[in-house]
Amino acid sequence: MTQIVEMKSLNKYFGSLHVLESIDLTVEQGEVVVIIGASGSGKSTLIRCINGLEEYESGQLSVDGSRLEPKGGNQQALAEIRKEVGMVFQQFNLFPHLTVRKNIMLAPMKVKNNSQVIANATAERLLSRVGISDQADKYPSQLSGGQQQRVAIARALAMEPRLMLFDEPTSALDPEMIGEVLDVMRELAKEGMTMMVVTHEMGFAREVADRVIYIHEGKIVEEGKPADVFDNPRNERTQAFLSRVLAH
């Protein structure tokens, strides 16, 4: 199998706070890895390091064969990585002054130098894929939160990424809208997209993940197949966390 992500002894600090401590992690092509843990445990920071949104201080990080150096070194590698990695955030981060269609067309035209005709065809295909073809010419403010997040997923897919990162993509949504976004993510997983997902949706993690990673205070303290992590966690911190979240 091809390794898409490889971290070795990766360390990240915010001032004196050791946010990620000696992280060793690999993600294979086509694998769905779900990262769980309490708020402030370092989950989002970990995936934000992968596309250079956060700089790390020491260790090694390679993404799809490109080596990203500590402290923002190797900007050429970072540019290559960002072409191969799509990211979906908690907040949808759509451009409010552009229609849904133009939000999606932007990356193919600006980054991949596609023509307007090809970019438009890409937008239409991806809006159909996420189930909102009829919203193409509306503005983000005219859509529900769930629809906006599906547009954000389509926009990330327009880059034809080798890896999709999801940073708590349903946390800003009303409960009735969560399912429609998770359904799109399930389809991506079935199609073989390599995915790293930070989420509090434990049912989704159990159903879709190939591997679940539990992070506590910046350290990976448990990882394994969903059934092993959820039903037979070995680490007492994992047990305590799951007893809290699964009770609600």
Side-chain angles (χ1 to χ4, degrees):
M1 293 290 287
T2 302
Q3 282 187 349
I4 298 295
V5 177
E6 183 178 20
M7 291 183 173
K8 291 183 178 178
S9 301
L10 185 138
N11 290 279
K12 164 69 183 171
Y13 294 84
F14 288 133
S16 61
L17 182 63
H18 202 169
V19 184
L20 296 174
E21 186 171 344
S22 298
I23 297 291
D24 291 317
L25 174 64
T26 59
V27 179
E28 306 286 348
Q29 183 176 346
E31 190 176 20
V32 178
V33 175
V34 174
I35 303 167
I36 62 173
S39 296
S41 60
K43 310 182 300 296
S44 294
T45 302
L46 188 151
I47 66 167
R48 288 171 65 89
C49 285
I50 291 170
N51 64 352
L53 290 176
E54 297 288 355
E55 297 176 357
Y56 68 100
E57 273 68 38
S58 65
Q60 296 179 19
L61 171 59
S62 295
V63 182
D64 199 23
S66 294
R67 176 84 170 266
L68 186 60
E69 300 293 340
K71 300 179 182 178
N74 199 347
Q75 290 297 304
Q76 184 175 350
L78 177 58
E80 291 301 316
I81 286 168
R82 286 183 170 166
K83 291 179 183 178
E84 302 294 338
V85 178
M87 184 151 186
V88 178
F89 301 87
Q90 297 179 38
Q91 303 298 333
F92 321 122
N93 291 3
L94 300 174
F95 294 107
H97 64 290
L98 297 179
T99 64
V100 165
R101 183 193 306 275
K102 289 184 176 177
N103 262 281
I104 298 170
M105 290 173 63
L106 207 55
M109 292 176 66
K110 296 289 188 182
V111 181
K112 292 191 171 289
N113 295 316
N114 289 161
S115 69
Q116 187 167 339
V117 171
I118 291 174
N120 182 62
T122 298
E124 291 187 350
R125 173 174 56 82
L126 291 173
L127 286 171
S128 176
R129 188 175 180 182
V130 300
I132 47 174
S133 298
D134 56 339
Q135 308 297 323
D137 296 311
K138 291 185 178 179
Y139 288 88
S141 62
Q142 297 174 289
L143 305 184
S144 70
Q147 289 172 326
Q148 289 186 61
Q149 193 61 294
R150 283 188 279 168
V151 174
I153 293 172
R155 184 179 61 179
L157 291 173
M159 290 293 294
E160 300 178 340
R162 300 258 292 159
L163 169 68
M164 284 284 284
L165 306 176
F166 294 87
D167 185 8
E168 299 191 26
T170 60
S171 65
L173 300 179
D174 293 332
E176 65 269 20
M177 297 176 185
I178 290 173
E180 61 190 53
V181 173
L182 294 180
D183 284 345
V184 172
M185 295 170 65
R186 286 187 184 95
E187 287 302 312
L188 290 177
K190 287 179 185 176
E191 292 166 9
M193 175 63 73
T194 310
M195 297 163 59
M196 296 181 71
V197 184
V198 172
T199 187
H200 294 290
E201 301 293 334
M202 298 300 154
F204 173 83
R206 181 188 287 271
E207 176 191 352
V208 176
D210 295 301
R211 186 159 38 115
V212 174
I213 291 172
Y214 172 63
I215 292 184
H216 177 74
E217 294 182 349
K219 299 177 183 177
I220 295 176
V221 299
E222 186 140 12
E223 65 178 297
K225 293 186 179 300
D228 295 332
V229 172
F230 287 116
D231 298 335
N232 297 293
R234 298 186 301 272
N235 189 284
E236 62 183 20
R237 296 192 183 281
T238 317
Q239 295 167 8
F241 171 77
L242 291 173
S243 69
R244 292 196 303 273
V245 299
L246 297 177
H248 297 289

mmCIF file of all heavy atoms in Angstrom, residues 128-169:
data_model
loop_
_atom_site.group_PDB
_atom_site.id
_atom_site.type_symbol
_atom_site.label_atom_id
_atom_site.label_comp_id
_atom_site.label_asym_id
_atom_site.label_seq_id
_atom_site.Cartn_x
_atom_site.Cartn_y
_atom_site.Cartn_z
ATOM 1 N N SER A 128 -23.731 17.795 -8.094
ATOM 2 C CA SER A 128 -24.579 16.613 -8.236
ATOM 3 C C SER A 128 -24.126 15.516 -7.281
ATOM 4 O O SER A 128 -24.939 14.837 -6.646
ATOM 5 C CB SER A 128 -24.538 16.107 -9.677
ATOM 6 O OG SER A 128 -25.277 14.917 -9.820
ATOM 7 N N ARG A 129 -22.823 15.362 -7.154
ATOM 8 C CA ARG A 129 -22.257 14.325 -6.287
ATOM 9 C C ARG A 129 -22.645 14.524 -4.827
ATOM 10 O O ARG A 129 -22.867 13.558 -4.102
ATOM 11 C CB ARG A 129 -20.732 14.338 -6.433
ATOM 12 C CG ARG A 129 -20.006 13.205 -5.748
ATOM 13 C CD ARG A 129 -18.533 13.285 -6.094
ATOM 14 N NE ARG A 129 -17.757 12.234 -5.470
ATOM 15 C CZ ARG A 129 -16.440 12.103 -5.591
ATOM 16 N NH1 ARG A 129 -15.770 12.975 -6.333
ATOM 17 N NH2 ARG A 129 -15.801 11.138 -4.978
ATOM 18 N N VAL A 130 -22.723 15.791 -4.385
ATOM 19 C CA VAL A 130 -23.097 16.053 -2.989
ATOM 20 C C VAL A 130 -24.587 16.363 -2.830
ATOM 21 O O VAL A 130 -25.045 16.742 -1.757
ATOM 22 C CB VAL A 130 -22.245 17.194 -2.377
ATOM 23 C CG1 VAL A 130 -20.765 16.828 -2.408
ATOM 24 C CG2 VAL A 130 -22.485 18.525 -3.077
ATOM 25 N N GLY A 131 -25.337 16.222 -3.914
ATOM 26 C CA GLY A 131 -26.792 16.252 -3.827
ATOM 27 C C GLY A 131 -27.446 17.617 -3.790
ATOM 28 O O GLY A 131 -28.562 17.754 -3.298
ATOM 29 N N ILE A 132 -26.783 18.644 -4.332
ATOM 30 C CA ILE A 132 -27.388 19.981 -4.304
ATOM 31 C C ILE A 132 -27.205 20.696 -5.652
ATOM 32 O O ILE A 132 -26.889 21.894 -5.694
ATOM 33 C CB ILE A 132 -26.833 20.855 -3.145
ATOM 34 C CG1 ILE A 132 -25.304 20.792 -3.093
ATOM 35 C CG2 ILE A 132 -27.456 20.476 -1.822
ATOM 36 C CD1 ILE A 132 -24.699 21.732 -2.085
ATOM 37 N N SER A 133 -27.441 19.997 -6.735
ATOM 38 C CA SER A 133 -27.333 20.595 -8.070
ATOM 39 C C SER A 133 -28.226 21.818 -8.228
ATOM 40 O O SER A 133 -27.884 22.775 -8.941
ATOM 41 C CB SER A 133 -27.710 19.570 -9.143
ATOM 42 O OG SER A 133 -26.842 18.477 -9.113
ATOM 43 N N ASP A 134 -29.365 21.801 -7.546
ATOM 44 C CA ASP A 134 -30.344 22.882 -7.713
ATOM 45 C C ASP A 134 -29.963 24.163 -6.971
ATOM 46 O O ASP A 134 -30.664 25.173 -7.072
ATOM 47 C CB ASP A 134 -31.723 22.405 -7.246
ATOM 48 C CG ASP A 134 -31.715 21.903 -5.807
ATOM 49 O OD1 ASP A 134 -30.626 21.537 -5.295
ATOM 50 O OD2 ASP A 134 -32.791 21.864 -5.192
ATOM 51 N N GLN A 135 -28.837 24.138 -6.238
ATOM 52 C CA GLN A 135 -28.431 25.321 -5.470
ATOM 53 C C GLN A 135 -27.276 26.076 -6.119
ATOM 54 O O GLN A 135 -26.735 27.014 -5.537
ATOM 55 C CB GLN A 135 -28.007 24.891 -4.052
ATOM 56 C CG GLN A 135 -29.011 24.028 -3.313
ATOM 57 C CD GLN A 135 -30.315 24.742 -3.057
ATOM 58 O OE1 GLN A 135 -30.338 25.931 -2.780
ATOM 59 N NE2 GLN A 135 -31.419 24.014 -3.138
ATOM 60 N N ALA A 136 -26.897 25.717 -7.351
ATOM 61 C CA ALA A 136 -25.657 26.200 -7.957
ATOM 62 C C ALA A 136 -25.560 27.716 -8.038
ATOM 63 O O ALA A 136 -24.474 28.286 -7.871
ATOM 64 C CB ALA A 136 -25.480 25.592 -9.347
ATOM 65 N N ASP A 137 -26.662 28.391 -8.305
ATOM 66 C CA ASP A 137 -26.604 29.831 -8.549
ATOM 67 C C ASP A 137 -27.103 30.659 -7.372
ATOM 68 O O ASP A 137 -27.329 31.871 -7.509
ATOM 69 C CB ASP A 137 -27.372 30.164 -9.832
ATOM 70 C CG ASP A 137 -26.709 29.518 -11.044
ATOM 71 O OD1 ASP A 137 -25.479 29.655 -11.180
ATOM 72 O OD2 ASP A 137 -27.410 28.844 -11.821
ATOM 73 N N LYS A 138 -27.223 30.025 -6.225
ATOM 74 C CA LYS A 138 -27.539 30.757 -5.000
ATOM 75 C C LYS A 138 -26.244 31.195 -4.323
ATOM 76 O O LYS A 138 -25.156 30.714 -4.637
ATOM 77 C CB LYS A 138 -28.356 29.875 -4.054
ATOM 78 C CG LYS A 138 -29.767 29.587 -4.551
ATOM 79 C CD LYS A 138 -30.556 28.807 -3.520
ATOM 80 C CE LYS A 138 -31.985 28.545 -3.988
ATOM 81 N NZ LYS A 138 -32.749 27.754 -3.001
ATOM 82 N N TYR A 139 -26.388 32.099 -3.366
ATOM 83 C CA TYR A 139 -25.253 32.537 -2.568
ATOM 84 C C TYR A 139 -25.245 31.759 -1.251
ATOM 85 O O TYR A 139 -26.290 31.270 -0.798
ATOM 86 C CB TYR A 139 -25.331 34.043 -2.306
ATOM 87 C CG TYR A 139 -25.045 34.856 -3.546
ATOM 88 C CD1 TYR A 139 -26.067 35.192 -4.442
ATOM 89 C CD2 TYR A 139 -23.736 35.252 -3.850
ATOM 90 C CE1 TYR A 139 -25.804 35.910 -5.598
ATOM 91 C CE2 TYR A 139 -23.464 35.980 -5.000
ATOM 92 C CZ TYR A 139 -24.493 36.297 -5.872
ATOM 93 O OH TYR A 139 -24.221 36.996 -7.024
ATOM 94 N N PRO A 140 -24.078 31.622 -0.615
ATOM 95 C CA PRO A 140 -24.005 30.837 0.614
ATOM 96 C C PRO A 140 -25.049 31.221 1.669
ATOM 97 O O PRO A 140 -25.596 30.353 2.354
ATOM 98 C CB PRO A 140 -22.575 31.098 1.113
ATOM 99 C CG PRO A 140 -21.800 31.297 -0.153
ATOM 100 C CD PRO A 140 -22.737 32.052 -1.063
ATOM 101 N N SER A 141 -25.331 32.519 1.794
ATOM 102 C CA SER A 141 -26.281 32.966 2.819
ATOM 103 C C SER A 141 -27.702 32.457 2.572
ATOM 104 O O SER A 141 -28.541 32.484 3.478
ATOM 105 C CB SER A 141 -26.295 34.492 2.898
ATOM 106 O OG SER A 141 -26.729 35.044 1.658
ATOM 107 N N GLN A 142 -27.969 31.996 1.355
ATOM 108 C CA GLN A 142 -29.298 31.489 1.016
ATOM 109 C C GLN A 142 -29.442 29.994 1.295
ATOM 110 O O GLN A 142 -30.514 29.437 1.088
ATOM 111 C CB GLN A 142 -29.589 31.767 -0.462
ATOM 112 C CG GLN A 142 -29.638 33.244 -0.812
ATOM 113 C CD GLN A 142 -29.786 33.479 -2.305
ATOM 114 O OE1 GLN A 142 -28.874 33.253 -3.086
ATOM 115 N NE2 GLN A 142 -30.973 33.922 -2.708
ATOM 116 N N LEU A 143 -28.382 29.363 1.773
ATOM 117 C CA LEU A 143 -28.383 27.922 2.010
ATOM 118 C C LEU A 143 -28.437 27.610 3.499
ATOM 119 O O LEU A 143 -28.037 28.413 4.338
ATOM 120 C CB LEU A 143 -27.116 27.282 1.430
ATOM 121 C CG LEU A 143 -26.801 27.523 -0.052
ATOM 122 C CD1 LEU A 143 -25.573 26.718 -0.437
ATOM 123 C CD2 LEU A 143 -27.979 27.177 -0.934
ATOM 124 N N SER A 144 -28.898 26.417 3.812
ATOM 125 C CA SER A 144 -28.826 25.929 5.191
ATOM 126 C C SER A 144 -27.378 25.595 5.527
ATOM 127 O O SER A 144 -26.514 25.482 4.645
ATOM 128 C CB SER A 144 -29.685 24.677 5.350
ATOM 129 O OG SER A 144 -29.100 23.581 4.651
ATOM 130 N N GLY A 145 -27.112 25.399 6.811
ATOM 131 C CA GLY A 145 -25.760 25.027 7.221
ATOM 132 C C GLY A 145 -25.303 23.724 6.595
ATOM 133 O O GLY A 145 -24.151 23.600 6.158
ATOM 134 N N GLY A 146 -26.196 22.752 6.547
ATOM 135 C CA GLY A 146 -25.842 21.473 5.943
ATOM 136 C C GLY A 146 -25.520 21.606 4.469
ATOM 137 O O GLY A 146 -24.587 20.974 3.957
ATOM 138 N N GLN A 147 -26.284 22.440 3.773
ATOM 139 C CA GLN A 147 -26.011 22.667 2.348
ATOM 140 C C GLN A 147 -24.676 23.389 2.162
ATOM 141 O O GLN A 147 -23.898 23.059 1.265
ATOM 142 C CB GLN A 147 -27.147 23.482 1.730
ATOM 143 C CG GLN A 147 -28.445 22.709 1.580
ATOM 144 C CD GLN A 147 -29.595 23.601 1.152
ATOM 145 O OE1 GLN A 147 -29.674 24.773 1.519
ATOM 146 N NE2 GLN A 147 -30.513 23.044 0.371
ATOM 147 N N GLN A 148 -24.401 24.380 3.022
ATOM 148 C CA GLN A 148 -23.131 25.092 2.917
ATOM 149 C C GLN A 148 -21.945 24.151 3.136
ATOM 150 O O GLN A 148 -20.928 24.242 2.439
ATOM 151 C CB GLN A 148 -23.076 26.233 3.931
ATOM 152 C CG GLN A 148 -24.001 27.389 3.601
ATOM 153 C CD GLN A 148 -23.806 28.558 4.549
ATOM 154 O OE1 GLN A 148 -22.732 29.134 4.625
ATOM 155 N NE2 GLN A 148 -24.853 28.895 5.289
ATOM 156 N N GLN A 149 -22.085 23.237 4.089
ATOM 157 C CA GLN A 149 -20.972 22.321 4.330
ATOM 158 C C GLN A 149 -20.788 21.355 3.159
ATOM 159 O O GLN A 149 -19.664 20.981 2.821
ATOM 160 C CB GLN A 149 -21.181 21.551 5.648
ATOM 161 C CG GLN A 149 -19.952 20.810 6.154
ATOM 162 C CD GLN A 149 -18.784 21.721 6.459
ATOM 163 O OE1 GLN A 149 -18.219 22.351 5.558
ATOM 164 N NE2 GLN A 149 -18.404 21.793 7.732
ATOM 165 N N ARG A 150 -21.884 20.990 2.512
ATOM 166 C CA ARG A 150 -21.753 20.139 1.327
ATOM 167 C C ARG A 150 -21.090 20.895 0.175
ATOM 168 O O ARG A 150 -20.318 20.315 -0.597
ATOM 169 C CB ARG A 150 -23.115 19.586 0.916
ATOM 170 C CG ARG A 150 -23.581 18.437 1.812
ATOM 171 C CD ARG A 150 -24.826 17.775 1.293
ATOM 172 N NE ARG A 150 -26.032 18.512 1.642
ATOM 173 C CZ ARG A 150 -27.228 18.270 1.117
ATOM 174 N NH1 ARG A 150 -27.366 17.336 0.187
ATOM 175 N NH2 ARG A 150 -28.287 18.962 1.510
ATOM 176 N N VAL A 151 -21.355 22.184 0.067
ATOM 177 C CA VAL A 151 -20.641 23.009 -0.912
ATOM 178 C C VAL A 151 -19.152 23.033 -0.572
ATOM 179 O O VAL A 151 -18.287 22.927 -1.459
ATOM 180 C CB VAL A 151 -21.201 24.446 -0.959
ATOM 181 C CG1 VAL A 151 -20.343 25.326 -1.875
ATOM 182 C CG2 VAL A 151 -22.645 24.453 -1.433
ATOM 183 N N ALA A 152 -18.829 23.174 0.704
ATOM 184 C CA ALA A 152 -17.426 23.199 1.123
ATOM 185 C C ALA A 152 -16.726 21.887 0.764
ATOM 186 O O ALA A 152 -15.556 21.887 0.353
ATOM 187 C CB ALA A 152 -17.332 23.463 2.625
ATOM 188 N N ILE A 153 -17.425 20.772 0.908
ATOM 189 C CA ILE A 153 -16.851 19.474 0.522
ATOM 190 C C ILE A 153 -16.635 19.437 -0.987
ATOM 191 O O ILE A 153 -15.579 19.008 -1.466
ATOM 192 C CB ILE A 153 -17.756 18.322 0.984
ATOM 193 C CG1 ILE A 153 -17.783 18.244 2.519
ATOM 194 C CG2 ILE A 153 -17.287 16.984 0.394
ATOM 195 C CD1 ILE A 153 -18.799 17.260 3.075
ATOM 196 N N ALA A 154 -17.630 19.896 -1.748
ATOM 197 C CA ALA A 154 -17.497 19.922 -3.206
ATOM 198 C C ALA A 154 -16.324 20.802 -3.618
ATOM 199 O O ALA A 154 -15.557 20.457 -4.533
ATOM 200 C CB ALA A 154 -18.794 20.416 -3.846
ATOM 201 N N ARG A 155 -16.159 21.938 -2.950
ATOM 202 C CA ARG A 155 -15.050 22.836 -3.282
ATOM 203 C C ARG A 155 -13.705 22.162 -3.030
ATOM 204 O O ARG A 155 -12.769 22.295 -3.830
ATOM 205 C CB ARG A 155 -15.154 24.120 -2.466
ATOM 206 C CG ARG A 155 -14.091 25.149 -2.817
ATOM 207 C CD ARG A 155 -14.232 26.417 -2.004
ATOM 208 N NE ARG A 155 -14.097 26.170 -0.575
ATOM 209 C CZ ARG A 155 -14.171 27.119 0.348
ATOM 210 N NH1 ARG A 155 -14.409 28.373 -0.012
ATOM 211 N NH2 ARG A 155 -14.030 26.838 1.616
ATOM 212 N N ALA A 156 -13.598 21.426 -1.924
ATOM 213 C CA ALA A 156 -12.354 20.707 -1.637
ATOM 214 C C ALA A 156 -12.105 19.612 -2.676
ATOM 215 O O ALA A 156 -10.971 19.398 -3.107
ATOM 216 C CB ALA A 156 -12.409 20.114 -0.232
ATOM 217 N N LEU A 157 -13.166 18.932 -3.093
ATOM 218 C CA LEU A 157 -13.026 17.862 -4.082
ATOM 219 C C LEU A 157 -12.639 18.404 -5.459
ATOM 220 O O LEU A 157 -12.080 17.668 -6.287
ATOM 221 C CB LEU A 157 -14.335 17.076 -4.197
ATOM 222 C CG LEU A 157 -14.719 16.215 -2.994
ATOM 223 C CD1 LEU A 157 -16.118 15.644 -3.184
ATOM 224 C CD2 LEU A 157 -13.707 15.091 -2.791
ATOM 225 N N ALA A 158 -12.927 19.674 -5.721
ATOM 226 C CA ALA A 158 -12.597 20.266 -7.024
ATOM 227 C C ALA A 158 -11.100 20.277 -7.289
ATOM 228 O O ALA A 158 -10.673 20.388 -8.444
ATOM 229 C CB ALA A 158 -13.164 21.686 -7.109
ATOM 230 N N MET A 159 -10.305 20.157 -6.237
ATOM 231 C CA MET A 159 -8.852 20.080 -6.397
ATOM 232 C C MET A 159 -8.393 18.674 -6.781
ATOM 233 O O MET A 159 -7.197 18.458 -6.972
ATOM 234 C CB MET A 159 -8.167 20.500 -5.092
ATOM 235 C CG MET A 159 -8.305 21.973 -4.775
ATOM 236 S SD MET A 159 -7.415 22.984 -5.959
ATOM 237 C CE MET A 159 -5.732 22.506 -5.591
ATOM 238 N N GLU A 160 -9.321 17.724 -6.859
ATOM 239 C CA GLU A 160 -8.989 16.325 -7.122
ATOM 240 C C GLU A 160 -7.923 15.832 -6.140
ATOM 241 O O GLU A 160 -6.858 15.340 -6.524
ATOM 242 C CB GLU A 160 -8.526 16.134 -8.566
ATOM 243 C CG GLU A 160 -9.593 16.530 -9.581
ATOM 244 C CD GLU A 160 -9.130 16.384 -11.013
ATOM 245 O OE1 GLU A 160 -7.898 16.349 -11.257
ATOM 246 O OE2 GLU A 160 -9.998 16.281 -11.893
ATOM 247 N N PRO A 161 -8.212 15.963 -4.837
ATOM 248 C CA PRO A 161 -7.194 15.677 -3.826
ATOM 249 C C PRO A 161 -6.914 14.184 -3.669
ATOM 250 O O PRO A 161 -7.772 13.346 -3.937
ATOM 251 C CB PRO A 161 -7.818 16.242 -2.545
ATOM 252 C CG PRO A 161 -9.293 16.097 -2.766
ATOM 253 C CD PRO A 161 -9.493 16.366 -4.221
ATOM 254 N N ARG A 162 -5.710 13.903 -3.215
ATOM 255 C CA ARG A 162 -5.334 12.537 -2.852
ATOM 256 C C ARG A 162 -5.729 12.241 -1.408
ATOM 257 O O ARG A 162 -5.806 11.084 -1.009
ATOM 258 C CB ARG A 162 -3.833 12.366 -3.000
ATOM 259 C CG ARG A 162 -3.329 12.605 -4.406
ATOM 260 C CD ARG A 162 -3.048 11.320 -5.129
ATOM 261 N NE ARG A 162 -1.912 10.632 -4.544
ATOM 262 C CZ ARG A 162 -1.697 9.322 -4.699
ATOM 263 N NH1 ARG A 162 -2.539 8.592 -5.379
ATOM 264 N NH2 ARG A 162 -0.645 8.746 -4.155
ATOM 265 N N LEU A 163 -5.951 13.296 -0.630
ATOM 266 C CA LEU A 163 -6.287 13.168 0.786
ATOM 267 C C LEU A 163 -7.293 14.242 1.153
ATOM 268 O O LEU A 163 -7.133 15.399 0.768
ATOM 269 C CB LEU A 163 -5.011 13.332 1.637
ATOM 270 C CG LEU A 163 -5.177 13.498 3.150
ATOM 271 C CD1 LEU A 163 -5.702 12.211 3.772
ATOM 272 C CD2 LEU A 163 -3.837 13.888 3.788
ATOM 273 N N MET A 164 -8.325 13.855 1.913
ATOM 274 C CA MET A 164 -9.298 14.812 2.437
ATOM 275 C C MET A 164 -9.179 14.864 3.956
ATOM 276 O O MET A 164 -9.211 13.822 4.630
ATOM 277 C CB MET A 164 -10.711 14.412 2.032
ATOM 278 C CG MET A 164 -11.053 14.698 0.587
ATOM 279 S SD MET A 164 -11.390 16.445 0.237
ATOM 280 C CE MET A 164 -13.058 16.615 0.932
ATOM 281 N N LEU A 165 -9.049 16.079 4.473
ATOM 282 C CA LEU A 165 -9.018 16.317 5.913
ATOM 283 C C LEU A 165 -10.337 16.962 6.335
ATOM 284 O O LEU A 165 -10.782 17.923 5.706
ATOM 285 C CB LEU A 165 -7.857 17.247 6.279
ATOM 286 C CG LEU A 165 -6.459 16.842 5.809
ATOM 287 C CD1 LEU A 165 -5.457 17.940 6.169
ATOM 288 C CD2 LEU A 165 -6.036 15.516 6.418
ATOM 289 N N PHE A 166 -10.935 16.449 7.394
ATOM 290 C CA PHE A 166 -12.184 17.004 7.919
ATOM 291 C C PHE A 166 -11.968 17.372 9.383
ATOM 292 O O PHE A 166 -11.661 16.512 10.208
ATOM 293 C CB PHE A 166 -13.317 15.980 7.828
ATOM 294 C CG PHE A 166 -13.725 15.614 6.426
ATOM 295 C CD1 PHE A 166 -13.078 14.596 5.744
ATOM 296 C CD2 PHE A 166 -14.764 16.290 5.796
ATOM 297 C CE1 PHE A 166 -13.453 14.247 4.454
ATOM 298 C CE2 PHE A 166 -15.152 15.951 4.507
ATOM 299 C CZ PHE A 166 -14.495 14.931 3.834
ATOM 300 N N ASP A 167 -12.118 18.655 9.697
ATOM 301 C CA ASP A 167 -11.918 19.128 11.067
ATOM 302 C C ASP A 167 -13.276 19.419 11.698
ATOM 303 O O ASP A 167 -13.825 20.511 11.562
ATOM 304 C CB ASP A 167 -11.043 20.384 11.060
ATOM 305 C CG ASP A 167 -10.692 20.857 12.470
ATOM 306 O OD1 ASP A 167 -11.000 20.130 13.437
ATOM 307 O OD2 ASP A 167 -10.107 21.943 12.600
ATOM 308 N N GLU A 168 -13.834 18.421 12.365
ATOM 309 C CA GLU A 168 -15.149 18.518 13.013
ATOM 310 C C GLU A 168 -16.179 19.150 12.073
ATOM 311 O O GLU A 168 -16.767 20.194 12.390
ATOM 312 C CB GLU A 168 -15.031 19.300 14.330
ATOM 313 C CG GLU A 168 -14.095 18.621 15.323
ATOM 314 C CD GLU A 168 -14.162 19.222 16.718
ATOM 315 O OE1 GLU A 168 -15.217 19.784 17.070
ATOM 316 O OE2 GLU A 168 -13.176 19.108 17.449
ATOM 317 N N PRO A 169 -16.420 18.525 10.938
ATOM 318 C CA PRO A 169 -17.251 19.154 9.897
ATOM 319 C C PRO A 169 -18.720 19.309 10.251
ATOM 320 O O PRO A 169 -19.426 20.048 9.572
ATOM 321 C CB PRO A 169 -17.084 18.204 8.707
ATOM 322 C CG PRO A 169 -16.794 16.876 9.332
ATOM 323 C CD PRO A 169 -15.947 17.188 10.528
#
